[in-house]
């Protein structure tokens, strides 16, 4: 969606991209718009429907992945100052097994996407900011492909105004994936 990408680029000044990088992205957007316009069939008003599904990963689905891969649970803080450590296994509060997994890092989310894609012979990935904006953040927010700094140690999360530490989990951030095609 070139128009959505253009709006996002304007709205992303807070990222502090250097002017050369911003200009390169603008040129890329212009090329995308030109390619999309040239390849648009007659009679199409530009409102294409997406072939991608966005899905939320449950605790039960993530447990199967963690058990088969031996994935170590990400740090998710503590329940209170002196409370027990939280993780996706025990994130705090009552969480049903078929409810969304939380307390997973961005690396956990990417690893799960790769594992699921290999099992199903399909491509899964984290959503872009535009894809996430089109979806509700209910029941949980999810990690995005968009990095919050050059090393990608901070990542954007749907519904959150500032990037979060990508190496840890949060009790209100889970895994939302895009299944392509």
């Amino acid at each position: 969606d070139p128009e959505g990408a253009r709006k996002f680029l304007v709205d992303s000044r807070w990222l502090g991209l250097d002017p050369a990088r911003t200009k390169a992205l603008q040129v890329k957007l212009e090329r995308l718009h030109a390619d999309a316009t040239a390849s648009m069939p007659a009679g199409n008003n530009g409102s294409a429907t997406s072939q991608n599904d966005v899905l939320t990963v449950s605790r039960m689905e993530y447990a199967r992945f963690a058990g088969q891969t031996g994935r170590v649970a990400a740090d998710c803080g503590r329940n209170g100052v002196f409370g027990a450590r939280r993780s996706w296994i025990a994130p705090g509060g009552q969480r049903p097994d078929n409810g969304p997994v939380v307390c997973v890092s961005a690396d956990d989310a990417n690893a799960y996407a790769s594992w699921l894609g290999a099992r199903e012979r399909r491509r899964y990935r984290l959503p872009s900011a535009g894809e996430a904006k089109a979806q509700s953040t209910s029941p949980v927010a999810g990690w995005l492909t968009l990095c919050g700094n050059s090393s990608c140690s901070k990542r954007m999360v749907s519904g959150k105004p500032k990037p979060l530490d990508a190496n840890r989990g949060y009790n209100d951030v889970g895994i939302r994936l895009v299944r392509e095609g």
Side-chain angles (χ1 to χ4, degrees):
D1 173 20
E3 187 55 39
R6 187 174 291 111
K7 184 179 179 333
F8 176 75
L9 187 60
V10 169
D11 291 345
S12 65
R13 291 190 181 151
W14 60 269
L15 285 173
L17 296 175
D18 64 87
R21 180 71 176 145
T22 302
K23 180 65 178 168
L25 289 171
Q26 287 171 333
V27 168
K28 192 172 187 177
L29 277 173
E30 289 168 12
R31 266 192 244 129
L32 281 173
H33 181 67
D35 290 348
T37 305
S39 65
M40 191 178 294
N44 187 335
N45 64 4
S47 60
T49 57
S50 173
Q51 296 296 320
N52 300 335
D53 296 324
V54 178
L55 35 115
T56 302
V57 177
S58 73
R59 290 182 69 218
M60 193 167 37
E61 292 165 332
Y62 191 81
R64 187 176 0 209
F65 156 74
Q68 290 181 9
T69 62
R71 186 97 183 162
V72 175
D75 176 30
C76 191
R78 292 188 176 277
N79 285 323
V81 177
F82 300 108
R85 283 203 150 310
R86 290 185 299 205
S87 72
W88 72 267
I89 300 164
Q94 294 291 347
R95 306 272 179 150
D97 286 343
N98 63 348
V101 67
V102 294
C103 286
V104 289
S105 70
D107 284 341
D108 293 336
N110 280 319
Y112 181 85
S114 295
W115 174 82
L116 185 61
R119 284 179 56 98
E120 295 186 2
R121 292 189 172 97
R122 296 189 77 159
R123 186 168 191 280
Y124 289 88
R125 61 175 172 76
L126 297 178
S128 67
E131 289 165 327
K133 191 173 185 177
Q135 300 290 321
S136 164
T137 56
S138 253
V140 295
W143 294 102
L144 302 176
T145 56
L146 182 63
C147 294
N149 60 10
S150 60
S151 66
C152 222
S153 63
K154 295 216 177 266
R155 272 271 174 76
M156 296 308 297
V157 173
S158 59
K160 304 277 185 185
K162 294 184 180 180
L164 301 177
D165 182 348
N167 298 314
R168 63 161 295 198
Y170 297 87
N171 67 350
D172 61 346
V173 178
I175 302 175
R176 302 184 77 205
L177 297 177
V178 173
R179 178 176 54 212
E180 295 187 337

